[in-house]
Amino acid sequence: MALSLHLCHVTTHSLPLLHSPLANNLLPRKVPSLKKRFFTAAATMSSSPKKVLVPIANGSEPMEAVITIDVLRRSGADVTVASVDKQLRVDACHGVKIVADSLISDCKDTVFDLITLPGGIPGATNLKDCGILENMMKKQAADGRLYAAVCASPAVALGSWGLLKGLKATCYPSFMEQLAPSCATTVESRVQKDGIVVTSRGPGTTMEFAVALVEQLYGKEKADEVAGPLVMRSNHGDEYTITEFNPMKWTFDNGPQILVPIANGSEEMEAVMIIDILRRAKANVVVASVEDTLEIVASRKVKLVADMLLDEAAKLSFDLIVLPGGLGGAQAFANSEKLVNLLKKQKESNRPYGAICASPALVLEPHGLLKGKKATAFPAMCGKLSDQSEVENRVVVDGNLITSRGPGTSMEFALAIVEKFFGCNKALELVKIMLFS
């Protein structure tokens, strides 16, 4: 019988409750029936989504940008990703390449319900130095509309522009001294709300930050509705946990060579968190598109640029192949004969492979890659797994296989990979840097 090992023990997690959104109190003058009243309210809500601007720059922190965009789009917000540079494509931190929807100059006359800034250095500095963005943010504040920032940006951008005066705010720990003179009170809250301003601390707090922004825009019912499928931690201060069976040492020769395939419809939060965290650990991560082009359009319409096509990557040898989720992306993976063959060879040679969210159920299971293995997947997909005995665990390792549940477990999933290759101390070092717990 397999032995279940729990590393970095924590309390049992429970998922946030999934609530249905309440219809608002928009009533037509004449209401023939209750059914028509609710239809009219829903139609009115859907016709006017909140408009959100997420500026990005070379050197922006990709996790903070993409998580915020993804979560806000899940709420129904109309999110514009705008580059403050001269071109749409920005080179974010850790080699992640993101293509914006527009240039900031094309957005300067648009009224937004929210403008929210990711962090990252030099990304936060590049945002601060953008005159168009500075003018937009000052007008946003003067007009009493919501604005927000995470990581370095509360201190570097909002503070420098004088937009935190008299307010409580937080930021990345190493920027707290810079933040102090520009606001009334600095706090160490993971997310701090004060009037029309929301600030947060770093990559590990960004999902909470994004859900808080949904609540500010749409109310708590909508925030709870969005949070449920994210599979977030119930206690955000907890460390990560791994459930492991048949422990084996994951080895490599010259730094782990890791393949992360992406496709149209891949879950962008999952892909970016995996890539970002593994590169922080100094793994050599190759991002390969299974499409005919390097640029893919992910599940929530974030445009990412791969390092190479899968055909080129298939010529290389990898210590780990790991699949992000997303329904469309997982289906594309399952239909890629080349990728499936790579995964089968990986398993046959007893080298590590893994998947998160929809991919364990839609890619690994139908191709026999979970046979005799314990695994987990996105909650709604777990019924497709032949062995469902361990599906409630957030990260499951069985020998050379690692699986996980969804966007809210992606950071734990990536940290578990770091632990398997580099040891617990390296993983805990990243936990601290990213403010995961």
Side-chain angles (χ1 to χ4, degrees), residues 131-177:
I132 294 173
L133 179 59
E134 179 179 355
N135 292 336
M136 291 178 71
M137 289 295 278
K138 287 180 175 177
K139 189 175 191 309
Q140 187 83 359
D143 292 346
R145 293 192 299 272
L146 190 65
Y147 58 101
V150 64
C151 194
S153 286
V156 173
L158 298 187
S160 298
W161 295 332
L163 298 180
L164 295 176
K165 290 178 180 177
L167 300 172
K168 287 184 179 180
T170 191
C171 69
Y172 193 75
S174 61
F175 288 88
M176 290 290 271
E177 286 188 10

mmCIF file of all heavy atoms in Angstrom, residues 131-177:
data_model
loop_
_atom_site.group_PDB
_atom_site.id
_atom_site.type_symbol
_atom_site.label_atom_id
_atom_site.label_comp_id
_atom_site.label_asym_id
_atom_site.label_seq_id
_atom_site.Cartn_x
_atom_site.Cartn_y
_atom_site.Cartn_z
ATOM 1 N N GLY A 131 3.963 59.476 -18.649
ATOM 2 C CA GLY A 131 3.202 60.691 -18.381
ATOM 3 C C GLY A 131 1.719 60.537 -18.645
ATOM 4 O O GLY A 131 0.884 61.069 -17.889
ATOM 5 N N ILE A 132 1.360 59.818 -19.715
ATOM 6 C CA ILE A 132 -0.057 59.617 -20.025
ATOM 7 C C ILE A 132 -0.736 58.868 -18.889
ATOM 8 O O ILE A 132 -1.831 59.238 -18.441
ATOM 9 C CB ILE A 132 -0.219 58.841 -21.355
ATOM 10 C CG1 ILE A 132 0.280 59.686 -22.520
ATOM 11 C CG2 ILE A 132 -1.672 58.421 -21.566
ATOM 12 C CD1 ILE A 132 0.310 58.941 -23.855
ATOM 13 N N LEU A 133 -0.096 57.814 -18.395
ATOM 14 C CA LEU A 133 -0.676 57.032 -17.303
ATOM 15 C C LEU A 133 -0.780 57.883 -16.037
ATOM 16 O O LEU A 133 -1.798 57.818 -15.328
ATOM 17 C CB LEU A 133 0.168 55.781 -17.041
ATOM 18 C CG LEU A 133 -0.312 54.887 -15.897
ATOM 19 C CD1 LEU A 133 -1.731 54.387 -16.152
ATOM 20 C CD2 LEU A 133 0.631 53.700 -15.702
ATOM 21 N N GLU A 134 0.238 58.657 -15.743
ATOM 22 C CA GLU A 134 0.192 59.511 -14.554
ATOM 23 C C GLU A 134 -1.008 60.457 -14.614
ATOM 24 O O GLU A 134 -1.763 60.597 -13.629
ATOM 25 C CB GLU A 134 1.483 60.318 -14.427
ATOM 26 C CG GLU A 134 1.490 61.257 -13.222
ATOM 27 C CD GLU A 134 2.780 62.050 -13.088
ATOM 28 O OE1 GLU A 134 3.717 61.813 -13.874
ATOM 29 O OE2 GLU A 134 2.846 62.914 -12.188
ATOM 30 N N ASN A 135 -1.232 61.083 -15.757
ATOM 31 C CA ASN A 135 -2.373 61.992 -15.898
ATOM 32 C C ASN A 135 -3.697 61.258 -15.753
ATOM 33 O O ASN A 135 -4.637 61.772 -15.129
ATOM 34 C CB ASN A 135 -2.307 62.711 -17.256
ATOM 35 C CG ASN A 135 -1.149 63.690 -17.343
ATOM 36 O OD1 ASN A 135 -0.661 64.176 -16.318
ATOM 37 N ND2 ASN A 135 -0.702 63.979 -18.568
ATOM 38 N N MET A 136 -3.775 60.066 -16.326
ATOM 39 C CA MET A 136 -5.004 59.262 -16.220
ATOM 40 C C MET A 136 -5.288 58.892 -14.765
ATOM 41 O O MET A 136 -6.432 58.956 -14.298
ATOM 42 C CB MET A 136 -4.884 57.995 -17.066
ATOM 43 C CG MET A 136 -4.877 58.242 -18.570
ATOM 44 S SD MET A 136 -4.682 56.695 -19.516
ATOM 45 C CE MET A 136 -6.283 55.925 -19.229
ATOM 46 N N MET A 137 -4.240 58.491 -14.033
ATOM 47 C CA MET A 137 -4.419 58.083 -12.640
ATOM 48 C C MET A 137 -4.828 59.270 -11.765
ATOM 49 O O MET A 137 -5.676 59.139 -10.874
ATOM 50 C CB MET A 137 -3.136 57.449 -12.110
ATOM 51 C CG MET A 137 -2.830 56.089 -12.691
ATOM 52 S SD MET A 137 -4.052 54.829 -12.260
ATOM 53 C CE MET A 137 -3.494 54.340 -10.635
ATOM 54 N N LYS A 138 -4.236 60.420 -12.005
ATOM 55 C CA LYS A 138 -4.590 61.603 -11.208
ATOM 56 C C LYS A 138 -6.032 62.022 -11.470
ATOM 57 O O LYS A 138 -6.756 62.413 -10.548
ATOM 58 C CB LYS A 138 -3.615 62.743 -11.507
ATOM 59 C CG LYS A 138 -2.235 62.513 -10.894
ATOM 60 C CD LYS A 138 -1.266 63.645 -11.189
ATOM 61 C CE LYS A 138 0.051 63.425 -10.454
ATOM 62 N NZ LYS A 138 1.058 64.483 -10.765
ATOM 63 N N LYS A 139 -6.479 61.914 -12.722
ATOM 64 C CA LYS A 139 -7.873 62.218 -13.039
ATOM 65 C C LYS A 139 -8.806 61.173 -12.431
ATOM 66 O O LYS A 139 -9.906 61.510 -11.943
ATOM 67 C CB LYS A 139 -8.070 62.288 -14.553
ATOM 68 C CG LYS A 139 -9.451 62.814 -14.954
ATOM 69 C CD LYS A 139 -9.565 62.994 -16.448
ATOM 70 C CE LYS A 139 -10.836 63.759 -16.821
ATOM 71 N NZ LYS A 139 -12.058 63.219 -16.216
ATOM 72 N N GLN A 140 -8.370 59.906 -12.447
ATOM 73 C CA GLN A 140 -9.157 58.825 -11.833
ATOM 74 C C GLN A 140 -9.420 59.142 -10.365
ATOM 75 O O GLN A 140 -10.546 59.022 -9.876
ATOM 76 C CB GLN A 140 -8.395 57.504 -11.975
ATOM 77 C CG GLN A 140 -9.149 56.265 -11.536
ATOM 78 C CD GLN A 140 -10.079 55.722 -12.609
ATOM 79 O OE1 GLN A 140 -10.195 56.283 -13.696
ATOM 80 N NE2 GLN A 140 -10.761 54.630 -12.298
ATOM 81 N N ALA A 141 -8.371 59.564 -9.667
ATOM 82 C CA ALA A 141 -8.501 59.897 -8.243
ATOM 83 C C ALA A 141 -9.362 61.137 -8.046
ATOM 84 O O ALA A 141 -10.244 61.166 -7.162
ATOM 85 C CB ALA A 141 -7.115 60.108 -7.640
ATOM 86 N N ALA A 142 -9.139 62.157 -8.858
ATOM 87 C CA ALA A 142 -9.901 63.407 -8.719
ATOM 88 C C ALA A 142 -11.390 63.191 -8.971
ATOM 89 O O ALA A 142 -12.244 63.848 -8.342
ATOM 90 C CB ALA A 142 -9.347 64.447 -9.688
ATOM 91 N N ASP A 143 -11.702 62.276 -9.868
ATOM 92 C CA ASP A 143 -13.106 61.989 -10.193
ATOM 93 C C ASP A 143 -13.753 60.994 -9.233
ATOM 94 O O ASP A 143 -14.923 60.639 -9.404
ATOM 95 C CB ASP A 143 -13.213 61.457 -11.626
ATOM 96 C CG ASP A 143 -12.874 62.501 -12.672
ATOM 97 O OD1 ASP A 143 -12.805 63.701 -12.315
ATOM 98 O OD2 ASP A 143 -12.670 62.129 -13.855
ATOM 99 N N GLY A 144 -12.966 60.502 -8.254
ATOM 100 C CA GLY A 144 -13.516 59.592 -7.252
ATOM 101 C C GLY A 144 -13.740 58.186 -7.750
ATOM 102 O O GLY A 144 -14.591 57.462 -7.208
ATOM 103 N N ARG A 145 -12.987 57.767 -8.765
ATOM 104 C CA ARG A 145 -13.132 56.408 -9.288
ATOM 105 C C ARG A 145 -12.016 55.513 -8.744
ATOM 106 O O ARG A 145 -10.940 55.978 -8.393
ATOM 107 C CB ARG A 145 -13.130 56.413 -10.818
ATOM 108 C CG ARG A 145 -14.362 57.094 -11.417
ATOM 109 C CD ARG A 145 -14.473 56.836 -12.923
ATOM 110 N NE ARG A 145 -13.327 57.362 -13.643
ATOM 111 C CZ ARG A 145 -13.236 58.585 -14.111
ATOM 112 N NH1 ARG A 145 -14.228 59.448 -13.929
ATOM 113 N NH2 ARG A 145 -12.156 58.984 -14.767
ATOM 114 N N LEU A 146 -12.288 54.238 -8.734
ATOM 115 C CA LEU A 146 -11.429 53.250 -8.083
ATOM 116 C C LEU A 146 -10.068 53.136 -8.774
ATOM 117 O O LEU A 146 -9.973 53.123 -9.998
ATOM 118 C CB LEU A 146 -12.146 51.891 -8.122
ATOM 119 C CG LEU A 146 -11.576 50.724 -7.321
ATOM 120 C CD1 LEU A 146 -11.628 51.009 -5.827
ATOM 121 C CD2 LEU A 146 -12.364 49.451 -7.647
ATOM 122 N N TYR A 147 -9.001 53.038 -7.971
ATOM 123 C CA TYR A 147 -7.675 52.734 -8.500
ATOM 124 C C TYR A 147 -6.930 51.834 -7.518
ATOM 125 O O TYR A 147 -7.256 51.785 -6.321
ATOM 126 C CB TYR A 147 -6.876 53.995 -8.842
ATOM 127 C CG TYR A 147 -6.640 54.981 -7.721
ATOM 128 C CD1 TYR A 147 -5.419 55.031 -7.058
ATOM 129 C CD2 TYR A 147 -7.621 55.900 -7.359
ATOM 130 C CE1 TYR A 147 -5.174 55.959 -6.049
ATOM 131 C CE2 TYR A 147 -7.399 56.838 -6.352
ATOM 132 C CZ TYR A 147 -6.173 56.860 -5.701
ATOM 133 O OH TYR A 147 -5.946 57.776 -4.701
ATOM 134 N N ALA A 148 -5.928 51.104 -8.024
ATOM 135 C CA ALA A 148 -5.304 50.057 -7.219
ATOM 136 C C ALA A 148 -3.898 49.775 -7.728
ATOM 137 O O ALA A 148 -3.536 50.120 -8.856
ATOM 138 C CB ALA A 148 -6.151 48.774 -7.276
ATOM 139 N N ALA A 149 -3.098 49.126 -6.871
ATOM 140 C CA ALA A 149 -1.739 48.735 -7.248
ATOM 141 C C ALA A 149 -1.250 47.644 -6.312
ATOM 142 O O ALA A 149 -1.709 47.534 -5.170
ATOM 143 C CB ALA A 149 -0.794 49.934 -7.211
ATOM 144 N N VAL A 150 -0.287 46.860 -6.809
ATOM 145 C CA VAL A 150 0.242 45.745 -6.034
ATOM 146 C C VAL A 150 1.766 45.761 -6.101
ATOM 147 O O VAL A 150 2.356 46.314 -7.033
ATOM 148 C CB VAL A 150 -0.329 44.398 -6.575
ATOM 149 C CG1 VAL A 150 0.125 44.138 -8.003
ATOM 150 C CG2 VAL A 150 0.020 43.225 -5.667
ATOM 151 N N CYS A 151 2.402 45.172 -5.084
ATOM 152 C CA CYS A 151 3.842 44.941 -5.056
ATOM 153 C C CYS A 151 4.611 46.261 -4.946
ATOM 154 O O CYS A 151 4.414 47.030 -4.025
ATOM 155 C CB CYS A 151 4.260 44.105 -6.261
ATOM 156 S SG CYS A 151 5.925 43.401 -6.152
ATOM 157 N N ALA A 152 5.497 46.551 -5.885
ATOM 158 C CA ALA A 152 6.279 47.791 -5.829
ATOM 159 C C ALA A 152 5.466 49.011 -6.237
ATOM 160 O O ALA A 152 5.792 50.143 -5.846
ATOM 161 C CB ALA A 152 7.502 47.668 -6.739
ATOM 162 N N SER A 153 4.408 48.832 -7.015
ATOM 163 C CA SER A 153 3.709 49.970 -7.618
ATOM 164 C C SER A 153 3.008 50.912 -6.640
ATOM 165 O O SER A 153 2.926 52.111 -6.927
ATOM 166 C CB SER A 153 2.735 49.474 -8.686
ATOM 167 O OG SER A 153 3.449 49.064 -9.841
ATOM 168 N N PRO A 154 2.485 50.449 -5.492
ATOM 169 C CA PRO A 154 1.928 51.437 -4.563
ATOM 170 C C PRO A 154 2.960 52.486 -4.153
ATOM 171 O O PRO A 154 2.648 53.682 -4.101
ATOM 172 C CB PRO A 154 1.483 50.587 -3.367
ATOM 173 C CG PRO A 154 1.177 49.250 -3.948
ATOM 174 C CD PRO A 154 2.205 49.062 -5.026
ATOM 175 N N ALA A 155 4.196 52.056 -3.873
ATOM 176 C CA ALA A 155 5.244 52.993 -3.458
ATOM 177 C C ALA A 155 5.837 53.731 -4.644
ATOM 178 O O ALA A 155 5.949 54.961 -4.646
ATOM 179 C CB ALA A 155 6.343 52.238 -2.707
ATOM 180 N N VAL A 156 6.214 52.972 -5.686
ATOM 181 C CA VAL A 156 6.961 53.546 -6.804
ATOM 182 C C VAL A 156 6.081 54.451 -7.662
ATOM 183 O O VAL A 156 6.518 55.532 -8.086
ATOM 184 C CB VAL A 156 7.585 52.421 -7.656
ATOM 185 C CG1 VAL A 156 8.225 52.979 -8.918
ATOM 186 C CG2 VAL A 156 8.612 51.650 -6.839
ATOM 187 N N ALA A 157 4.839 54.053 -7.927
ATOM 188 C CA ALA A 157 3.964 54.826 -8.811
ATOM 189 C C ALA A 157 2.953 55.661 -8.030
ATOM 190 O O ALA A 157 3.024 56.886 -8.039
ATOM 191 C CB ALA A 157 3.255 53.884 -9.783
ATOM 192 N N LEU A 158 2.032 55.029 -7.317
ATOM 193 C CA LEU A 158 0.977 55.794 -6.630
ATOM 194 C C LEU A 158 1.563 56.785 -5.635
ATOM 195 O O LEU A 158 1.131 57.944 -5.577
ATOM 196 C CB LEU A 158 0.009 54.847 -5.911
ATOM 197 C CG LEU A 158 -0.787 53.849 -6.766
ATOM 198 C CD1 LEU A 158 -1.807 53.127 -5.900
ATOM 199 C CD2 LEU A 158 -1.465 54.537 -7.947
ATOM 200 N N GLY A 159 2.526 56.342 -4.840
ATOM 201 C CA GLY A 159 3.138 57.229 -3.854
ATOM 202 C C GLY A 159 3.840 58.402 -4.501
ATOM 203 O O GLY A 159 3.700 59.555 -4.067
ATOM 204 N N SER A 160 4.579 58.128 -5.568
ATOM 205 C CA SER A 160 5.314 59.189 -6.269
ATOM 206 C C SER A 160 4.372 60.215 -6.890
ATOM 207 O O SER A 160 4.716 61.386 -7.017
ATOM 208 C CB SER A 160 6.206 58.587 -7.354
ATOM 209 O OG SER A 160 7.170 57.729 -6.799
ATOM 210 N N TRP A 161 3.174 59.768 -7.295
ATOM 211 C CA TRP A 161 2.196 60.665 -7.903
ATOM 212 C C TRP A 161 1.336 61.402 -6.861
ATOM 213 O O TRP A 161 0.451 62.164 -7.229
ATOM 214 C CB TRP A 161 1.272 59.884 -8.832
ATOM 215 C CG TRP A 161 1.955 59.295 -10.032
ATOM 216 C CD1 TRP A 161 3.064 59.756 -10.666
ATOM 217 C CD2 TRP A 161 1.549 58.110 -10.747
ATOM 218 N NE1 TRP A 161 3.387 58.942 -11.732
ATOM 219 C CE2 TRP A 161 2.480 57.931 -11.819
ATOM 220 C CE3 TRP A 161 0.511 57.193 -10.605
ATOM 221 C CZ2 TRP A 161 2.384 56.868 -12.722
ATOM 222 C CZ3 TRP A 161 0.407 56.141 -11.507
ATOM 223 C CH2 TRP A 161 1.331 55.973 -12.551
ATOM 224 N N GLY A 162 1.585 61.121 -5.569
ATOM 225 C CA GLY A 162 0.819 61.783 -4.520
ATOM 226 C C GLY A 162 -0.598 61.273 -4.370
ATOM 227 O O GLY A 162 -1.475 61.986 -3.858
ATOM 228 N N LEU A 163 -0.843 60.035 -4.754
ATOM 229 C CA LEU A 163 -2.204 59.493 -4.753
ATOM 230 C C LEU A 163 -2.520 58.640 -3.530
ATOM 231 O O LEU A 163 -3.557 57.966 -3.494
ATOM 232 C CB LEU A 163 -2.423 58.677 -6.031
ATOM 233 C CG LEU A 163 -2.311 59.471 -7.343
ATOM 234 C CD1 LEU A 163 -2.539 58.571 -8.544
ATOM 235 C CD2 LEU A 163 -3.308 60.630 -7.351
ATOM 236 N N LEU A 164 -1.632 58.653 -2.523
ATOM 237 C CA LEU A 164 -1.882 57.888 -1.298
ATOM 238 C C LEU A 164 -1.924 58.788 -0.057
ATOM 239 O O LEU A 164 -1.949 58.285 1.060
ATOM 240 C CB LEU A 164 -0.810 56.802 -1.124
ATOM 241 C CG LEU A 164 -0.785 55.708 -2.185
ATOM 242 C CD1 LEU A 164 0.376 54.761 -1.942
ATOM 243 C CD2 LEU A 164 -2.107 54.939 -2.229
ATOM 244 N N LYS A 165 -1.950 60.090 -0.260
ATOM 245 C CA LYS A 165 -1.924 61.016 0.881
ATOM 246 C C LYS A 165 -3.148 60.821 1.765
ATOM 247 O O LYS A 165 -4.279 60.770 1.287
ATOM 248 C CB LYS A 165 -1.873 62.460 0.375
ATOM 249 C CG LYS A 165 -0.533 62.829 -0.265
ATOM 250 C CD LYS A 165 -0.533 64.256 -0.788
ATOM 251 C CE LYS A 165 0.811 64.598 -1.415
ATOM 252 N NZ LYS A 165 0.825 65.958 -2.008
ATOM 253 N N GLY A 166 -2.890 60.693 3.079
ATOM 254 C CA GLY A 166 -3.975 60.538 4.039
ATOM 255 C C GLY A 166 -4.605 59.161 4.067
ATOM 256 O O GLY A 166 -5.628 58.949 4.717
ATOM 257 N N LEU A 167 -4.000 58.195 3.368
ATOM 258 C CA LEU A 167 -4.602 56.866 3.244
ATOM 259 C C LEU A 167 -3.734 55.790 3.889
ATOM 260 O O LEU A 167 -2.521 55.952 4.024
ATOM 261 C CB LEU A 167 -4.803 56.527 1.762
ATOM 262 C CG LEU A 167 -5.706 57.474 0.966
ATOM 263 C CD1 LEU A 167 -5.645 57.126 -0.509
ATOM 264 C CD2 LEU A 167 -7.144 57.397 1.478
ATOM 265 N N LYS A 168 -4.378 54.670 4.241
ATOM 266 C CA LYS A 168 -3.645 53.468 4.639
ATOM 267 C C LYS A 168 -3.282 52.698 3.372
ATOM 268 O O LYS A 168 -4.109 52.562 2.458
ATOM 269 C CB LYS A 168 -4.500 52.580 5.539
ATOM 270 C CG LYS A 168 -4.686 53.101 6.942
ATOM 271 C CD LYS A 168 -5.473 52.093 7.759
ATOM 272 C CE LYS A 168 -5.654 52.563 9.193
ATOM 273 N NZ LYS A 168 -6.421 51.588 10.001
ATOM 274 N N ALA A 169 -2.060 52.194 3.318
ATOM 275 C CA ALA A 169 -1.638 51.450 2.129
ATOM 276 C C ALA A 169 -0.585 50.414 2.497
ATOM 277 O O ALA A 169 0.056 50.492 3.550
ATOM 278 C CB ALA A 169 -1.093 52.406 1.064
ATOM 279 N N THR A 170 -0.421 49.443 1.598
ATOM 280 C CA THR A 170 0.615 48.431 1.762
ATOM 281 C C THR A 170 1.336 48.251 0.441
ATOM 282 O O THR A 170 0.914 48.778 -0.594
ATOM 283 C CB THR A 170 0.025 47.095 2.258
ATOM 284 O OG1 THR A 170 1.091 46.228 2.654
ATOM 285 C CG2 THR A 170 -0.809 46.396 1.184
ATOM 286 N N CYS A 171 2.438 47.502 0.467
ATOM 287 C CA CYS A 171 3.205 47.232 -0.757
ATOM 288 C C CYS A 171 4.183 46.101 -0.457
ATOM 289 O O CYS A 171 4.154 45.506 0.630
ATOM 290 C CB CYS A 171 3.942 48.481 -1.242
ATOM 291 S SG CYS A 171 5.300 49.016 -0.184
ATOM 292 N N TYR A 172 5.067 45.801 -1.403
ATOM 293 C CA TYR A 172 6.081 44.775 -1.192
ATOM 294 C C TYR A 172 6.993 45.206 -0.033
ATOM 295 O O TYR A 172 7.343 46.389 0.069
ATOM 296 C CB TYR A 172 6.894 44.560 -2.467
ATOM 297 C CG TYR A 172 7.732 43.306 -2.422
ATOM 298 C CD1 TYR A 172 7.150 42.056 -2.574
ATOM 299 C CD2 TYR A 172 9.101 43.377 -2.203
ATOM 300 C CE1 TYR A 172 7.910 40.901 -2.512
ATOM 301 C CE2 TYR A 172 9.873 42.223 -2.144
ATOM 302 C CZ TYR A 172 9.261 40.981 -2.290
ATOM 303 O OH TYR A 172 10.008 39.830 -2.214
ATOM 304 N N PRO A 173 7.343 44.276 0.850
ATOM 305 C CA PRO A 173 8.072 44.650 2.074
ATOM 306 C C PRO A 173 9.290 45.542 1.864
ATOM 307 O O PRO A 173 9.500 46.499 2.618
ATOM 308 C CB PRO A 173 8.458 43.294 2.662
ATOM 309 C CG PRO A 173 7.374 42.371 2.213
ATOM 310 C CD PRO A 173 7.004 42.838 0.842
ATOM 311 N N SER A 174 10.089 45.271 0.831
ATOM 312 C CA SER A 174 11.317 46.055 0.650
ATOM 313 C C SER A 174 11.049 47.481 0.164
ATOM 314 O O SER A 174 11.972 48.297 0.099
ATOM 315 C CB SER A 174 12.268 45.341 -0.322
ATOM 316 O OG SER A 174 11.663 45.182 -1.587
ATOM 317 N N PHE A 175 9.789 47.798 -0.156
ATOM 318 C CA PHE A 175 9.440 49.162 -0.573
ATOM 319 C C PHE A 175 8.654 49.917 0.501
ATOM 320 O O PHE A 175 8.216 51.043 0.256
ATOM 321 C CB PHE A 175 8.637 49.127 -1.881
ATOM 322 C CG PHE A 175 9.462 48.775 -3.083
ATOM 323 C CD1 PHE A 175 9.648 47.454 -3.451
ATOM 324 C CD2 PHE A 175 10.080 49.767 -3.832
ATOM 325 C CE1 PHE A 175 10.420 47.116 -4.553
ATOM 326 C CE2 PHE A 175 10.866 49.450 -4.931
ATOM 327 C CZ PHE A 175 11.038 48.122 -5.295
ATOM 328 N N MET A 176 8.493 49.311 1.676
ATOM 329 C CA MET A 176 7.690 49.944 2.720
ATOM 330 C C MET A 176 8.274 51.279 3.180
ATOM 331 O O MET A 176 7.540 52.230 3.457
ATOM 332 C CB MET A 176 7.509 48.993 3.908
ATOM 333 C CG MET A 176 6.624 47.806 3.619
ATOM 334 S SD MET A 176 4.883 48.227 3.407
ATOM 335 C CE MET A 176 4.318 48.116 5.104
ATOM 336 N N GLU A 177 9.597 51.369 3.259
ATOM 337 C CA GLU A 177 10.212 52.630 3.675
ATOM 338 C C GLU A 177 9.954 53.729 2.656
ATOM 339 O O GLU A 177 9.739 54.890 3.014
ATOM 340 C CB GLU A 177 11.713 52.452 3.899
ATOM 341 C CG GLU A 177 12.063 51.693 5.167
ATOM 342 C CD GLU A 177 13.562 51.698 5.451
ATOM 343 O OE1 GLU A 177 14.286 52.462 4.764
ATOM 344 O OE2 GLU A 177 14.002 50.947 6.334
#
